[in-house]
């Protein structure tokens, strides 16, 4: 297989480039996903993804849609690099004499990749979720304060804007978590992240490999550009929707701040039980279409960059012509 000759640095650079491009393109949708998943039935701020984005722009400005993006852009490079390189490594170790991997071995390779990536994914998501959801909680408090003022003084009184509470930064959050909880504070929700990312990788990587193989002409070593992109999009969307219930639970567990009258949770099972009892089974699919819209182009772009070998070209330019 041609991809076995690709150096580890090239794999890491390709994964990083893909992650930076993908996150920049889809981050506003990811923000909407987090806010939709975190809102509970008693205090619904947003009716849909588009409603969430419109209200976010109105209350926080255009760049409000990119709150938490700096964390993602900083950590997505090692995260995506680890995921892609680990899957490639495990596939290589599990293959024998270049023979095609069986489906169980493909799933095992994906399991290994998902397990490795949570080292970076968990703290990245922990910080990102706080920054993304801060605007929802602030908007909810502002709305409830306005309603209380109207009921207390009547609609004839002019409304007085309450001073906006300062919103935390990633650096401040990291410092507070480390001071109060140690390194474990950054890894809150690790179990839920594993339950999301390991099944995701088990579904995604074998599905992508087989879809990509279907679109590859027999005479060529690599699938065409568009085949890799579409295979990444389809496999990413399918895997994202399949693990969305775990993503909802993970998002709730990692949220440190709660809105008014919102449930708190002691662990994965407690969270899943309360969601089922108070919001119904459909709550486990909150943000599923947002997540599919995020993951599809993210992994489509990732696989295109990976298969085009952008890093190999860059490394070749840096090394210069060989004597």
């Amino acid at each position: 297989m041609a991809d076995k000759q690709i150096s580890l640095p090239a794999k890491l650079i390709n994964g990083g480039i893909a992650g930076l491009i993908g996150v920049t393109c889809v981050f506003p949708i990811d923000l909407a996903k987090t806010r939709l998943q975190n809102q509970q039935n008693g205090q619904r701020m947003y009716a849909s993804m588009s409603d969430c984005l419109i209200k976010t722009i109105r209350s926080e400005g255009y760049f409000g849609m990119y709150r938490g993006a700096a964390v993602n852009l900083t950590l997505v490079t090692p995260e995506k690099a680890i995921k892609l390189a680990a899957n490639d490594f495990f596939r290589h170790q599990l293959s024998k004499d270049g023979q095609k991997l069986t489906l169980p071995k493909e799933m095992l390779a994906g399991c290994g990749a998902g397990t490795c990536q949570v080292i970076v994914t968990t703290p990245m998501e922990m910080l990102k979720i706080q920054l993304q959801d801060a605007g929802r909680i602030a908007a909810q408090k502002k709305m409830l304060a306005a309603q209380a003022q109207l009921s207390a003084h009547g609609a004839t009184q002019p409304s007085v804007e309450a001073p906006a509470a300062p919103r935390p930064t990633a650096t401040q959050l990291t410092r507070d978590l480390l001071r109060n909880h140690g390194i474990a504070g950054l890894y809150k929700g690790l179990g839920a992240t594993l339950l999301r990312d390991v099944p995701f990788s088990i579904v995604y990587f074998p599905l992508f490999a087989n879809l990509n193989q279907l679109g590859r002409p027999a005479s060529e070593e690599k699938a065409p550009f568009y085949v890799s992109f579409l295979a990444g999009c389809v496999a990413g969307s399918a895997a994202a929707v399949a693990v969305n219930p775990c993503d909802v639970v993970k998002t709730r567990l990692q949220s440190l701040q709660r809105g008014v009258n919102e449930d708190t949770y002691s662990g994965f099972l407690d969270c899943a039980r309360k969601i089922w009892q108070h919001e119904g089974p459909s709550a486990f699919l909150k943000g599923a279409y947002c997540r599919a819209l995020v993951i599809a182009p993210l992994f489509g772009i990732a696989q295109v960059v990976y298969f085009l070998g952008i890093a190999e070209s860059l490394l070749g330019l840096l090394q210069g012509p060989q004597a």
Side-chain angles (χ1 to χ4, degrees), residues 263-281:
D263 287 332
T264 56
Y265 312 107
S266 60
F268 187 93
L269 291 177
D270 179 59
C271 180
R273 178 179 58 80
K274 286 180 178 176
I275 291 173
W276 182 280
Q277 290 178 344
H278 301 162
E279 302 172 61

Side-chain angles (χ1 to χ4, degrees), residues 56 81 147 302:
T56 298
Q147 289 175 350

Side-chain angles (χ1 to χ4, degrees), residues 14-30:
N14 279 331
I17 292 171
L20 290 172
I21 296 171
V23 167
T24 303
C25 294
V26 302
F27 193 83
I29 303 174
D30 186 65

Side-chain angles (χ1 to χ4, degrees):
M1 291 177 67
D3 60 353
K4 291 182 184 177
Q5 304 304 317
I6 302 173
S7 66
L8 180 60
K11 293 170 187 173
L12 298 179
I13 293 170
N14 279 331
I17 292 171
L20 290 172
I21 296 171
V23 167
T24 303
C25 294
V26 302
F27 193 83
I29 303 174
D30 186 65
L31 178 136
K33 179 213 71 133
T34 298
R35 293 188 177 184
L36 288 170
Q37 286 182 339
N38 259 337
Q39 68 176 5
Q40 299 179 22
N41 285 348
Q43 300 292 341
R44 288 176 60 87
M45 291 289 301
Y46 313 109
S48 64
M49 178 185 75
S50 58
D51 182 53
C52 178
L53 293 176
I54 290 169
K55 288 179 178 176
T56 298
I57 292 172
R58 285 176 179 169
S59 61
E60 302 170 54
Y62 175 80
F63 290 105
M65 295 191 298
Y66 283 89
R67 284 193 58 79
V71 173
N72 251 33
L73 290 171
T74 302
L75 296 178
V76 75
T77 298
E79 187 217 21
K80 289 292 176 283
I82 288 171
K83 178 192 277 280
L84 292 172
N87 179 69
D88 211 59
F89 171 80
F90 286 120
R91 288 178 70 88
H92 179 54
Q93 294 300 314
L94 291 169
S95 65
K96 294 180 179 179
D97 303 323
Q99 294 180 357
K100 187 178 185 297
L101 287 178
T102 60
L103 183 60
K105 286 186 176 181
E106 287 185 330
M107 296 174 73
L108 185 60
C111 177
T115 303
C116 289
Q117 80 168 82
V118 299
I119 297 169
V120 176
T121 302
T122 306
M124 179 183 76
E125 296 262 319
M126 182 71 187
L127 296 173
K128 183 197 71 171
I129 286 170
Q130 316 315 316
L131 297 170
Q132 286 182 327
D133 204 40
R136 179 188 72 89
I137 294 173
Q140 185 193 82
K141 288 179 178 177
K142 183 178 177 182
M143 181 186 71
L144 291 174
Q147 289 175 350
Q149 187 178 42
L150 287 175
S151 61
H153 302 289
T156 57
Q157 294 289 330
S159 61
V160 178
E161 285 285 334
R167 291 179 185 172
T169 64
T171 304
Q172 180 186 342
L173 283 168
T174 304
R175 191 185 302 117
D176 290 345
L177 285 168
L178 289 175
R179 185 189 301 118
N180 297 327
H181 305 286
I183 193 68
L186 289 172
Y187 282 87
K188 182 181 180 183
L190 175 62
T193 306
L194 278 168
L195 287 172
R196 181 197 67 173
D197 287 350
V198 171
F200 178 94
S201 295
I202 289 173
V203 173
Y204 172 77
F205 283 111
L207 183 56
F208 168 78
N210 285 280
L211 289 174
N212 200 54
Q213 180 72 24
L214 286 175
R216 188 176 72 181
S219 59
E220 298 181 23
E221 288 186 346
K222 286 186 178 181
F225 178 95
Y226 69 90
V227 171
S228 293
F229 179 78
L230 290 176
C233 288
V234 172
S237 295
V241 173
V243 302
N244 197 75
C246 291
D247 189 55
V248 172
V249 175
K250 183 200 75 68
T251 300
R252 297 277 181 96
L253 287 175
Q254 289 188 316
S255 297
L256 298 175
Q257 300 295 321
R258 301 286 176 197
V260 179
N261 299 325
E262 290 185 347
D263 287 332
T264 56
Y265 312 107
S266 60
F268 187 93
L269 291 177
D270 179 59
C271 180
R273 178 179 58 80
K274 286 180 178 176
I275 291 173
W276 182 280
Q277 290 178 344
H278 301 162
E279 302 172 61
S282 62
F284 289 106
L285 293 177
K286 282 184 176 180
Y289 65 96
C290 293
R291 184 160 162 77
L293 287 174
V294 167
I295 296 296
L298 196 63
F299 278 85
I301 292 168
Q303 293 299 346
V304 168
V305 171
Y306 201 54
F307 276 83
L308 285 179
I310 292 176
E312 291 86 323
S313 300
L314 291 174
L315 291 173
L317 289 173
L318 290 173
Q319 291 170 356
Q322 298 294 320

